[in-house]
Amino acid sequence: MAEHFHVNTPLLECMRMSKRLGIPVYLKMENSQPSGSFKIRGIGHLCQQLARQSKGVVCASGGNAGVAAAYAARKMGVPSTIVIPSSSPQLVVQRLQDEGATVKIAGKVWDDANAEALRLAETEGLTYVPPFDHPLLWQGHSSVITEVAASLGPGVKPGAVLVAVGGGGLLCGIIQGLKNVGWMDVPVVAMETVGADCFNAALKAGKLVTLDDITSEAKCLGAKTACKQAFEYSQSNELNIISELVTDQQALQAVQTFLDEERVLVEMACGAALAAVYSGLIGRLQDEGRLPTLSGPLVVIVCGGGSINLEELSSLKHKLHV
Ligand code: PLV
């Protein structure tokens, strides 16, 4: 068996974004992972640690965690059951089935699907694979920063890292990675969409909060409650985590600009991070002094996502009037 399931992804200099911002911008291309998103880093690691002897894994997912779990399970010769909410697009079902997963649809949003996955783990004796809240996931995700450090080479440190937040698993992995390579002082800009903003809401409230509903179309950011570790990091004086929101329209516009300029199609969850560049937010944060003048390149985690194709893109454009 391969040592791990993820691949070492390219770190690409992005001339168009660099020109826009007037600073070097690098793209960490997690969309090119075998499962289509960064999720395979953490989930692959967790499955290798916890599911080798398993009679089956079960994962609740907006889409990408499920594809990663199904991919890892297939490679390990273990059956997988993936529970998704009815809000996930139909194309996700097909992708999961292509990976050999048994797909169940439960509830309207991820939290509903998760309740069903936990029930199945209990009643059927399956190994539960959490999509964002587990130290093994964060450890797996942290490899993204180790790779960035290796690609940038000695003496080059990012000015900031730009990342999307759903339940906060990727954010925790990034922070862990920054700690591992001694880059604790690098600010992290953590992006969500309005209506899938559990992390931002927690920061505003000064404690974890559970959203009433997910009203954003960025369904893969749609956890109602952020993980505790992400919130705790946000409260640490040693770290600089800047939480910001964009609208669904801005996230979708960013998906389209990225497709047009970089010829890569990503889903809205990733568009939320890209929108920080295209909407001028990064520049604004610098003008307001909330983000220090960047002493190194901006590293954008292109988290990817498979819940999109041309049909889904045009349906989202129609729905959001973009
Ligand atoms: N998506 C999770 C949680 O959904 C899932 O089940 O796939 N970018 C993409 C493309 C994602 O798929 C996700 C998470 C994120 C960003 C955010 O990552 P997180 O949850 O670790 O903050 C409800």
Side-chain angles (χ1 to χ4, degrees):
M1 194 191 298
E3 218 171 83
H4 48 62
F5 297 130
H6 66 268
V7 300
N8 192 333
T9 56
L11 183 73
L12 305 176
E13 187 177 8
C14 182
M15 288 315 290
R16 289 176 191 81
M17 284 193 184
S18 302
K19 265 193 176 165
R20 261 195 175 84
L21 296 187
I23 48 167
V25 179
Y26 283 85
L27 304 173
K28 183 64 174 157
M29 301 299 278
E30 290 301 288
N31 60 299
S32 56
Q33 288 293 352
S35 71
S37 80
F38 71 95
K39 288 274 177 185
I40 190 63
R41 290 183 186 272
I43 287 181
H45 181 60
L46 181 135
C47 286
Q48 282 182 319
Q49 300 294 313
L50 302 185
R52 274 186 197 282
Q53 310 298 329
S54 172
K55 64 185 262 205
V57 300
V58 61
C59 176
S61 174
N64 296 306
V67 175
Y71 177 88
R74 178 168 63 80
K75 292 285 175 190
M76 293 168 69
V78 167
S80 63
T81 302
I82 310 300
V83 191
I84 58 172
S86 58
S87 55
S88 290
Q90 182 59 30
L91 73 109
V92 170
V93 175
Q94 190 58 50
R95 286 206 65 200
L96 289 167
Q97 286 170 343
D98 289 347
E99 285 294 350
T102 301
V103 182
K104 298 205 164 163
I105 298 173
K108 191 176 150 250
V109 298
W110 176 81
D111 293 70
D112 307 333
N114 193 43
E116 174 63 5
L118 287 166
R119 193 191 66 78
L120 285 173
E122 183 75 29
T123 56
E124 320 251 315
L126 302 175
T127 306
Y128 172 72
V129 176
F132 54 79
D133 194 1
H134 198 289
L136 288 171
L137 294 178
W138 310 329
Q139 194 185 341
H141 293 337
S142 72
S143 59
V144 76
I145 294 296
T146 322
E147 283 174 24
V148 167
S151 299
L152 288 177
V156 187
K157 182 158 113 175
V161 177
L162 175 58
V163 67
V165 174
L170 176 58
L171 177 66
C172 290
I174 299 281
I175 301 289
Q176 194 168 317
L178 292 174
K179 284 187 176 183
N180 290 346
V181 301
W183 287 349
M184 289 266 284
D185 54 334
V186 171
V188 179
V189 182
M191 299 298 302
E192 296 170 286
T193 50
V194 175
D197 47 358
C198 62
F199 182 64
N200 188 267
L203 266 60
K204 281 181 182 147
K207 60 175 196 262
L208 283 176
V209 293
T210 299
L211 303 176
D212 290 339
D213 196 8
I214 301 300
T215 53
S216 167
E217 290 300 327
K219 298 301 176 197
C220 272
L221 299 185
K224 286 188 184 173
T225 319
C227 66
K228 191 161 159 267
Q229 180 66 73
F231 177 70
E232 281 174 4
Y233 280 144
S234 76
Q235 303 300 297
S236 159
N237 291 332
E238 291 178 327
L239 298 164
N240 184 3
I241 301 176
I242 302 160
S243 162
E244 287 291 328
L245 302 180
V246 286
T247 62
D248 272 9
Q249 280 77 12
Q250 287 172 312
L252 186 60
Q253 193 65 60
V255 167
Q256 292 188 85
T257 309
F258 198 65
L259 176 60
D260 203 29
E261 294 191 352
E262 309 307 326
R263 303 162 312 284
V264 176
L265 180 59
V266 294
E267 65 175 72
M268 277 181 66
C270 181
L274 303 174
V277 174
Y278 293 133
S279 74
L281 177 77
I282 294 290
R284 217 157 46 243
L285 288 175
Q286 285 193 294
D287 291 346
E288 289 167 6
R290 296 183 54 207
L291 187 62
T293 307
L294 300 192
S295 53
L298 175 70
V299 172
V300 183
I301 310 294
V302 181
C303 48
S307 316
I308 192 144
N309 57 14
L310 287 185
E311 197 181 326
E312 180 64 16
L313 177 62
S314 78
S315 133
L316 286 167
K317 279 168 70 166
H318 185 71
K319 221 183 271 180
L320 296 172
H321 309 290
V322 169

